[in-house]
Amino acid sequence: MADVQYLAFGFNPAAWDQVTLPTRTALENGHYDDAIHCSTQVVENLLRGAAAVLALRSQAWARKADIVQEIHDALLITEYDPRSVDGYLRASRLYTTQGQQSQAIDILEEGMRLVPPSDPRFGLLENQLSLAEAQRKRRVDFISSCPYDILCNIAGFLEADSLYECVNVCRSWRIRILQCADRWKKLDLDHSNNDRLEFAATALLPVVSQHVKQLRLERIKPRSLNSYLKIMSTGDFPNLQSLKINEIFYRGSRYSSVCESICNVLPSISKTLTDLELVLVMDVQDPANASLASILSICRHLDVIKYHTVMSPELCFSGLSLPFSTSLTKIDLASWKSPMRSSDLEPLLQCSSELRYLRLQHCEVDLLPMITQHCPKLTVLIMNDYEIEHSPPHIGYPPYPSKPGLRYLMLAGVSSSAESILSFLGSNHDTLETVFIAPMMNNSHVTTTTLVNSPCVPTSFTMPNLTFLYIKDENRVLRDALPTILRASPNLESLTLTKHLDGIRDEIFDAIGDLARLSHLNLTRCKFLPTNFGFAILASKFAAIRFHRFYELEIYHCPGSTADALKSIAQIKSMRKLSVYGVDDHVTGTDMVDLARLLGDLPRLESLMFSKLRVFPAAAVRALLKSDSLRSIEFYHVDGLTIESIDLLHTRTPPLDVVVYPK
């Protein structure tokens, strides 16, 4: 018991025995009242000591500007030493600084009940209480007295539902907040997580309509959407430039009603509308007037159109032979019921000569010749980006470049031939910066001889600005064209090859080795041939380039990842980060030890990641720890890791960032 009290109150055992001696003596002699009196005095002294320590800790929290912990300690002081004014004064002052006058008054009144009036500092409680009560009577309406620019800044940080609650507090707040025109320029109404939003938004939308420039309606219920659209058709939205209606899941008569409401709205806002987004995830046989042609005919000033639907292309893209030229610079189309055809899109592209951004979802035909013919100013082309396994860099609406030409190309799920792809790359060779290619199977297979002899494919072109290249070729369309593409990209910095099921030939590794600026290489589900020397070629070529930038290699589930292939990887001296997901089943523990020794000798290696390995012995871990440059190591679902090995990783000096996920 003495040890427990020693740990709790910081006394040494001898001192504790001395403090409790009167109580123990009275108890042994049967003087129970004296024992209770003595022990009560000891407890009160201990609590006063604890309160003094809490006062010091409260000061420390104050220095750290942690007012929540400071208030907590102040309240503990009032519990441990309720007859002292210190805790009450400290807590009340903190509550006052937070504008919580009622809590300050309550804690002061409690202090006046518990602190003896004979206490010489009792008057401080009375003075503090009178000040708190006077402060509560002089309550300030912050919103009404706040400067306009500051109020607008505050309103800009509030979510829509919080803003609507503020508007409904009182008339003065409503007038002041509604005057914040900048806050109402962009209005997002999302019912996904807020059922209370409908009533407030329906009441406020007509009031703020003159300020609204961007309006987004997301996951709106049928009744609410029709209410909003009715307000828009009868209200005054003179400055509305952007309307986005997303994820509307209706069918049958409900959808027909929505289509009719949308069509009724468009004429009233068409003069100012430049950005229209309709992501209507629905199925209907009668699209009424919601076809793309009817929308473009009404909204003649659109710069941006995003139109996604599950209606068939025959319905939603019919009548696109418009008698006028559009001002569209961005088009984003998707028809999820059946693939789009070239005949559906060509009329639209013919009348959109200013187009800079084109994104097509669920389109399988080869549109590259048509796009080359009708879109001379195109800077971004994205086709079927859902086919890309690795998340591509975020591409928004690009700024107008200084000169025309394609900057960003994502060509996935399209039945384009190697000849067509190379021809398109060649026609945009001097501007391309980022390229994703994942073609579908094409009946015509083009050989290297055909490519070289074809008069329409410039095999000698270069792409000097291309820095990012992703090629997925599970259908073997680009099997023979890949070296040509790589040699045409001298300034490539990042390369990803996915599903090259025929194997990465030495010719391809040779072309990769010539990329003097390459810093990142990702190989995913690419077969390594047993007869090639790919990584050895890379190591020798990179070593021949002084100050080579290559630093990261990722290998994901590549068949043929043998021990020899892995050891060749360890010859790349400039490598800083290596990630290996799975190896050949024949790789043994001895092979992993040899690999670890080679990796430990790499002078710049900083990060390692191994996943789904069948064996990783303790000797391999000890070999890695000899590296002076290694800073982090991660193991995911790796067999053979012992507790001893993990402890070695955690105790290494200098320390390592270690992540281990067991299988």
Side-chain angles (χ1 to χ4, degrees), residues 81-98:
D81 193 5
R83 299 171 66 84
S84 173
V85 301
D86 292 330
Y88 304 106
L89 292 176
R90 184 183 295 274
S92 66
R93 288 167 183 163
L94 292 172
Y95 279 133
T96 299
T97 60
Q98 294 294 298

Side-chain angles (χ1 to χ4, degrees), residues 243-263:
L243 174 62
K244 300 181 180 181
I245 304 177
N246 293 329
E247 298 186 28
I248 310 300
F249 296 87
Y250 309 145
R251 293 178 179 272
S253 59
R254 283 186 173 182
Y255 172 54
S256 299
S257 175
V258 169
C259 288
E260 184 178 353
S261 300
I262 291 175
C263 295

Side-chain angles (χ1 to χ4, degrees), residues 391-596:
S391 300
H394 174 72
I395 294 296
Y397 189 26
Y400 291 127
S402 58
K403 61 179 180 178
L406 197 65
R407 277 3 183 219
Y408 184 97
L409 171 64
M410 180 179 290
L411 191 65
V414 179
S415 57
S416 300
S417 66
E419 182 176 353
S420 176
I421 294 173
L422 279 177
S423 178
F424 191 74
L425 293 177
S427 61
N428 297 279
H429 68 94
D430 59 340
T431 57
L432 278 170
E433 298 172 359
T434 301
V435 172
F436 291 80
I437 304 177
M440 289 177 58
M441 175 66 76
N442 190 284
N443 293 329
S444 60
H445 177 67
V446 183
T447 64
T448 305
T449 304
T450 305
L451 288 171
V452 173
N453 296 332
S454 175
C456 60
V457 178
T459 55
S460 60
F461 69 86
T462 60
M463 295 180 282
N465 297 312
L466 186 64
T467 58
F468 186 100
L469 178 61
Y470 172 105
I471 296 182
K472 176 184 176 182
D473 197 28
E474 60 182 320
N475 294 312
R476 302 171 175 84
V477 174
L478 296 172
R479 180 178 60 187
D480 298 313
L482 182 56
T484 301
I485 296 174
L486 293 176
R487 291 192 177 95
S489 313
N491 295 317
L492 199 64
E493 297 177 3
S494 178
L495 172 63
T496 298
L497 301 180
T498 301
K499 290 189 176 181
H500 291 256
L501 305 180
D502 279 349
I504 306 295
R505 309 186 308 276
D506 286 347
E507 182 184 7
I508 296 175
F509 277 110
D510 188 68
I512 296 174
D514 291 332
L515 300 173
R517 295 179 177 270
L518 188 69
S519 60
H520 169 259
L521 176 61
N522 178 299
L523 301 175
T524 301
R525 301 189 186 278
C526 295
K527 184 178 180 181
F528 296 154
L529 301 176
T531 58
N532 67 8
F533 303 93
F535 290 110
I537 294 173
L538 287 186
S540 62
K541 287 210 167 191
F542 288 165
I545 302 174
R546 190 178 183 185
F547 305 119
H548 198 282
R549 300 181 180 182
F550 184 80
Y551 70 89
E552 182 176 2
L553 175 62
E554 297 175 302
I555 301 176
Y556 291 77
H557 309 293
C558 292
S561 299
T562 62
D564 291 338
L566 295 174
K567 293 174 186 178
S568 298
I569 291 173
Q571 299 176 22
I572 304 176
K573 300 298 183 182
S574 62
M575 186 164 53
R576 297 183 182 179
K577 183 176 181 181
L578 173 63
S579 301
V580 179
Y581 294 71
V583 298
D584 192 88
D585 291 341
H586 297 94
V587 175
T588 65
T590 303
D591 294 329
M592 295 307 300
V593 173
D594 293 340
L595 173 63

Side-chain angles (χ1 to χ4, degrees), residues 207-274:
V207 181
V208 300
S209 61
Q210 294 188 356
H211 303 310
V212 178
K213 290 186 176 181
Q214 301 177 33
L215 178 60
R216 182 178 66 90
L217 307 176
E218 186 106 9
R219 291 181 284 269
I220 308 296
K221 296 179 180 179
R223 182 186 62 185
S224 302
L225 181 61
N226 281 319
S227 299
Y228 295 151
L229 294 175
K230 185 177 180 180
I231 293 172
M232 293 177 63
S233 62
T234 58
D236 184 14
F237 288 81
N239 299 307
L240 186 64
Q241 299 174 2
S242 175
L243 174 62
K244 300 181 180 181
I245 304 177
N246 293 329
E247 298 186 28
I248 310 300
F249 296 87
Y250 309 145
R251 293 178 179 272
S253 59
R254 283 186 173 182
Y255 172 54
S256 299
S257 175
V258 169
C259 288
E260 184 178 353
S261 300
I262 291 175
C263 295
N264 291 335
V265 164
L266 292 180
S268 62
I269 60 177
S270 61
K271 293 182 179 180
T272 58
L273 196 65
T274 59

Side-chain angles (χ1 to χ4, degrees), residues 588-601 605 608 610 613 615-628 630 632-635 638-654 656-660:
T588 65
T590 303
D591 294 329
M592 295 307 300
V593 173
D594 293 340
L595 173 63
R597 288 172 180 166
L598 294 173
L599 292 175
D601 292 335
L605 187 65
L608 278 173
F610 293 104
L613 302 184
V615 60
F616 203 92
V621 173
R622 287 192 291 270
L624 289 176
L625 293 179
K626 294 180 180 179
S627 172
D628 295 330
L630 194 62
S632 68
I633 186 167
E634 301 177 21
F635 292 98
V638 174
D639 287 339
L641 276 179
T642 63
I643 299 297
E644 177 188 1
S645 299
I646 297 174
D647 290 341
L648 285 174
L649 294 172
H650 284 290
T651 57
R652 186 251 205 185
T653 304
L656 278 174
D657 293 330
V658 181
V659 177
V660 179

Side-chain angles (χ1 to χ4, degrees), residues 141 143 162-174 177:
D141 187 347
I143 296 296
S162 300
L163 198 59
Y164 297 143
E165 291 179 0
C166 292
V167 168
N168 292 323
V169 168
C170 62
R171 183 177 180 181
S172 62
W173 281 35
R174 180 184 180 88
I177 294 176

